[in-house]
Amino acid sequence: MTKRFAFFYLFNVTPDRLMEVVPEHIDYWAKLDPPGYVGGPFGDGSGGMILFSAGGLEEAEQITGRDPFVLRNLMGRMWVREWVVKGPEDSPESSVHPSTSSGLGVQRPEGKS
């Protein structure tokens, strides 16, 4: 059974140095094409996040450990964590009447809208 993982990273290099490696990073993930892949940089250019599926944490760490950003020591900090994705169907609040629920799985007190 596969699990979802989040690879969150922050850079510790200049934009020029980063741009030298971006094509390799994009190529690595495109060729790997892990299930559930979605990712990209943060709008401020400080880092990025990639979501993907793998068999377990060890496999996820091996995948991210081969990322050219990691191999070229461009990361100031990085984390790989299992991401337990929950949808509305997983929540007991999903059967709550819309007038008493925020729609985000958070129960509102009676009489509050």
Side-chain angles (χ1 to χ4, degrees):
M1 180 176 153
T2 61
K3 298 177 179 183
R4 296 282 294 157
F5 290 90
F7 177 35
F8 180 98
Y9 51 91
L10 300 172
F11 299 120
N12 68 354
V13 297
T14 65
D16 289 341
R17 175 72 177 113
L18 179 63
M19 293 312 294
E20 293 173 9
V21 185
V22 166
E24 293 175 49
H25 165 81
I26 292 170
D27 189 53
Y28 171 75
W29 287 97
K31 286 180 179 173
L32 186 65
D33 193 26
Y37 171 85
V38 63
F42 298 136
D44 65 1
S46 64
M49 187 167 68
I50 296 173
L51 306 174
F52 64 99
S53 296
L57 182 58
E58 185 176 332
E59 180 183 352
E61 289 176 337
Q62 290 172 356
I63 289 169
T64 59
R66 293 188 296 261
D67 184 311
F69 286 166
V70 175
L71 295 175
R72 300 283 190 92
N73 296 315
L74 304 184
M75 308 294 201
R77 297 192 67 191
M78 64 181 186
W79 303 265
V80 178
R81 298 287 187 268
E82 182 179 353
W83 184 33
V84 180
V85 181
K86 298 286 186 179
E89 66 278 358
D90 299 319
S91 172
E93 288 86 13
S94 64
S95 62
V96 174
H97 188 274
S99 66
T100 60
S101 173
S102 68
L104 299 174
V106 177
Q107 184 77 26
R108 289 187 180 163
E110 291 284 329
K112 301 286 183 178
S113 54

